[in-house]
Amino acid sequence: MDDNRKTIVGQWLVPAGILLMVLAIMLFNFITKSRLSANDTVTRNMADAAGACADNFREQLTLLTTIGEPIAELMEDKTSVESVYALKTIRLAMRYSGAYAVYMLDEEGKGIDNAGEKISMAEWEYFEEMNAVKESTYHFVPDDGIKGHKAVVANVPVRYEEGLGHMLLFYPLNNFEAVVKKNDFVAWNIVALIDENGTLLLASGTGNSWKEGDNLYDVLRAGNEDAVKKMKTRITNRVSSVSTVKMGDTESALTYVPVGINNWTLVTGISQDYIDRQVAQQWMDVRNMMIQLVIVTVVFICIIIGINIASKVLNNRRQEQLEEKADTDLLTGLNNKLATERKIKEYMAKNPKSRSMMFILDIDNFKKINDTMGHAFGDEVLRSLGQQIGSLFRASDIIGRVGGDEFFIFLKNISADDSIRKEAKKVENFFHDFKAGEYTKYSATASIGVAIFPEEGADFESLYKAADQALYKAKERGKNQLAFYKDSWMEK
């Protein structure tokens, strides 16, 4: 009875006392850290939402060149960018890229648009800059030269018979603004796109008076010197982050995320008042005593469950130990025949394409050893072989005694040809130095057959037959050697 009481104390009262102490500490820490945690949650949601928008924007721009480049290759060896074939090509690009306009131009800026009309863009403000580039690039243009819209133009080189031209794919920036508006995080009052120097390429929202073309760092510098310095460093290093800045009489949290194209950065902002309201709401929920009581109850139940699980784990470990004993060959300490076959079959089923090696070892003249030196010494040979060869390979490999003097070695995941030959040589060399016997040292040799899984046998039975045939080769050739199922491995 006393033992039972001690057991109850050990299993319930002690954990309960520890639980109460832990709960007291957790409650104190929870109260002091909950405000910080709530603030972190809101800012993290901001960063995640901004990152999703940046990813979406990058994917839409990347689609222009992903579609444009292989289509542009179709123009190779074509005589002119104004051909009917060129028109079909740019219409194909427009259909799949999401561009609202596609132009095919030669080096002089002449060509056709997606409607088939002849055009000249030589006087366009940005043509000379784009014409100097010989690889796919992206350009922000405040005036697309078509309708006066802001756009991102993907410039894809076109190599045709008369020279190097350009396919221009126009992406509407109103699409980008629509992406931002559709985002689940609807509290943004600032959305901007800046280049690597901090110049505002795009600025919208109700929470600022920023103008496109201004420098973001200069706009924010007054009263935010330290914050702007950190922001500039992180943006230059392409690091996403959140900074709190003063904008007039209010504070705002700005999130900046690299777009991944042209060193552009997406900047979004939200008023600090909004963040404070979100934090206060979460704080009120945290202080609700009923929730705390529920948490305590759940934790206590979890401890009870944990104790039961621990008991089951302990029982499972004991069961595993019993199963391990049942799988062990008592003489050598290796896997017995049933365990060896079962483990190899299980591995084959789970890894049907993982190249592996099966060795069958048969000690040469073992009957003579028993007859001349006694069965006890024969057992010593087997025991020594099991101990020594078991330490030669990885713990994950399968090694077992499957007959009186017959052993299996199954090496997992040996993919390289050189590794196969190396492992075969290791096994063969092992018997050059193998000696058994505590007082009388006896050099036992073995005949060894090798087959490769799955090339030479995709299941246990066929692989065993292949390895057994290789073993027969080794014995037929005079024993004390290794033979592959396919002799070509030895020739290699």
Side-chain angles (χ1 to χ4, degrees):
M1 184 64 69
D2 291 338
D3 292 339
N4 290 336
R5 289 178 179 176
K6 290 180 180 179
T7 301
I8 293 174
V9 170
Q11 289 186 345
W12 299 107
L13 295 184
V14 173
I18 295 174
L19 173 63
L20 292 175
M21 293 176 60
V22 171
L23 284 176
I25 296 172
M26 290 180 61
L27 183 61
F28 176 78
N29 290 334
F30 199 70
I31 292 173
T32 56
K33 293 180 180 180
S34 57
R35 280 188 176 275
L36 292 175
S37 177
N39 189 79
D40 290 343
T41 299
V42 175
T43 54
R44 184 168 58 251
N45 290 341
M46 287 174 54
D48 291 344
C53 285
D55 291 343
N56 196 318
F57 184 40
R58 180 178 63 254
E59 289 171 1
Q60 292 189 23
L61 294 185
T62 305
L63 182 63
L64 298 176
T65 54
T66 302
I67 297 296
E69 288 175 351
I71 291 178
E73 291 179 2
L74 299 175
M75 284 297 297
E76 289 188 6
D77 301 328
K78 300 301 183 293
T79 58
S80 171
V81 296
E82 298 181 9
S83 64
V84 174
Y85 190 86
L87 177 60
K88 292 180 179 179
T89 301
I90 61 177
R91 284 180 175 175
L92 189 64
M94 186 170 179
R95 179 179 179 182
Y96 293 105
S97 67
Y100 69 89
V102 180
Y103 288 179
M104 185 80 77
L105 306 174
D106 60 18
E107 291 180 312
E108 297 179 354
K110 296 179 180 179
I112 58 174
D113 61 16
N114 44 272
E117 300 292 334
K118 290 186 178 182
I119 57 173
S120 176
M121 299 291 286
E123 302 301 322
W124 188 40
E125 180 180 355
Y126 303 95
F127 178 74
E128 184 176 349
E129 176 186 352
M130 295 184 183
N131 197 34
V133 179
K134 307 305 179 185
E135 58 185 16
S136 296
T137 52
Y138 299 90
H139 303 264
F140 172 85
V141 294
D143 184 346
D144 60 5
I146 304 173
K147 298 180 180 180
H149 294 166
K150 294 187 292 290
V152 173
V153 180
N155 176 21
V156 179
V158 177
R159 293 171 177 80
Y160 64 105
E161 189 176 280
E162 296 180 0
L164 180 66
H166 304 273
M167 179 187 292
L168 304 184
L169 300 96
F170 292 79
Y171 171 85
L173 278 176
N174 59 350
N175 281 11
F176 167 67
E177 294 176 342
V179 168
V180 174
K181 291 177 181 178
K182 289 180 180 178
N183 195 277
D184 292 338
F185 201 85
V186 296
W188 284 329
N189 60 353
I190 298 173
V191 176
L193 186 68
I194 63 173
D195 65 14
E196 59 185 344
N197 300 315
T199 302
L200 287 159
L201 305 178
L202 183 70
S204 64
T206 60
N208 70 90
S209 56
W210 299 348
K211 296 180 181 178
E212 294 167 4
D214 290 346
N215 187 281
L216 177 64
Y217 307 131
D218 294 338
V219 171
L220 296 175
R221 198 175 306 279
N224 300 295
E225 288 79 4
D226 292 340
V228 169
K229 184 177 180 180
K230 292 179 181 178
M231 181 189 303
K232 188 174 183 180
T233 300
R234 290 172 179 171
I235 290 178
T236 301
N237 293 329
R238 320 307 303 155
V239 177
S240 302
S241 190
V242 179
S243 296
T244 301
V245 296
K246 293 181 180 179
M247 299 177 62
D249 297 332
T250 62
E251 286 188 346
S252 293
L254 299 183
T255 303
Y256 33 97
V257 181
V259 173
I261 290 178
N262 285 9
N263 290 331
W264 292 342
T265 300
L266 171 65
V267 180
T268 59
I270 187 173
S271 68
Q272 188 61 42
D273 290 341
Y274 175 86
I275 296 177
D276 292 340
R277 289 194 300 270
Q278 295 296 311
V279 171
Q281 181 62 43
Q282 293 189 33
W283 173 243
M284 289 175 61
D285 295 337
V286 169
R287 292 192 309 177
N288 190 306
M289 185 59 67
M290 292 302 297
I291 294 179
Q292 293 182 2
L293 292 176
V294 170
I295 292 174
V296 171
T297 303
V298 170
V299 170
F300 189 76
I301 293 174
C302 288
I303 291 176
I304 295 175
I305 295 173
I307 292 173
N308 290 330
I309 292 175
S311 297
K312 291 181 179 179
V313 169
L314 183 59
N315 290 334
N316 289 339
R317 287 180 180 175
R318 290 173 180 169
Q319 184 65 29
E320 290 173 359
Q321 291 173 354
L322 292 175
E323 291 175 356
E324 185 176 350
K325 289 181 180 179
D327 287 345
T328 302
D329 177 68
L330 298 179
L331 180 61
T332 62
L334 302 175
N335 292 299
N336 58 29
K337 180 178 180 180
L338 292 177
T340 302
E341 292 186 8
R342 186 187 73 247
K343 291 179 180 180
I344 293 175
K345 289 178 180 178
E346 289 174 352
Y347 179 81
M348 288 178 169
K350 293 180 180 178
N351 306 274
K353 296 183 180 180
S354 176
R355 183 189 264 182
S356 304
M357 302 176 68
M358 176 184 280
F359 295 80
I360 298 180
L361 314 180
D362 196 282
I363 299 176
D364 295 329
N365 306 313
F366 187 71
K367 184 177 184 302
K368 183 178 178 181
I369 296 174
N370 282 332
D371 292 342
T372 58
M373 306 185 73
H375 287 276
F377 188 84
D379 289 347
E380 180 61 24
V381 172
L382 297 176
R383 187 181 299 108
S384 297
L385 176 60
Q387 292 172 349
Q388 295 180 43
I389 207 167
S391 62
L392 195 63
F393 302 101
R394 300 166 297 184
S396 59
D397 294 326
I398 303 169
I399 307 173
R401 180 188 176 208
V402 297
D405 62 333
E406 187 173 275
F407 293 79
F408 271 11
I409 300 174
F410 188 83
L411 304 185
K412 302 176 182 178
N413 193 25
I414 308 294
S415 56
D417 291 356
D418 289 343
S419 297
I420 287 177
R421 293 189 289 275
K422 180 180 177 182
E423 295 297 332
K425 198 66 179 176
K426 183 197 296 185
V427 176
E428 188 174 29
N429 289 340
F430 168 81
F431 284 96
H432 293 168
D433 301 321
F434 172 66
K435 290 180 175 57
E438 183 175 357
Y439 301 102
T440 303
K441 296 298 182 182
Y442 180 84
S443 298
T445 63
S447 300
I448 307 163
V450 188
I452 309 302
F453 172 80
E455 293 97 319
E456 297 166 6
D459 54 53
F460 179 86
E461 287 73 21
S462 56
L463 188 66
Y464 170 78
K465 288 179 182 178
D468 193 56
Q469 290 181 30
L471 175 64
Y472 181 79
K473 284 184 187 179
K475 290 183 177 182
E476 196 175 44
R477 292 170 182 173
K479 302 182 179 181
N480 189 23
Q481 59 184 283
L482 179 145
F484 279 89
Y485 174 68
K486 291 184 179 178
D487 288 335
S488 58
W489 285 106
M490 300 299 291
E491 295 169 2
K492 291 178 183 177

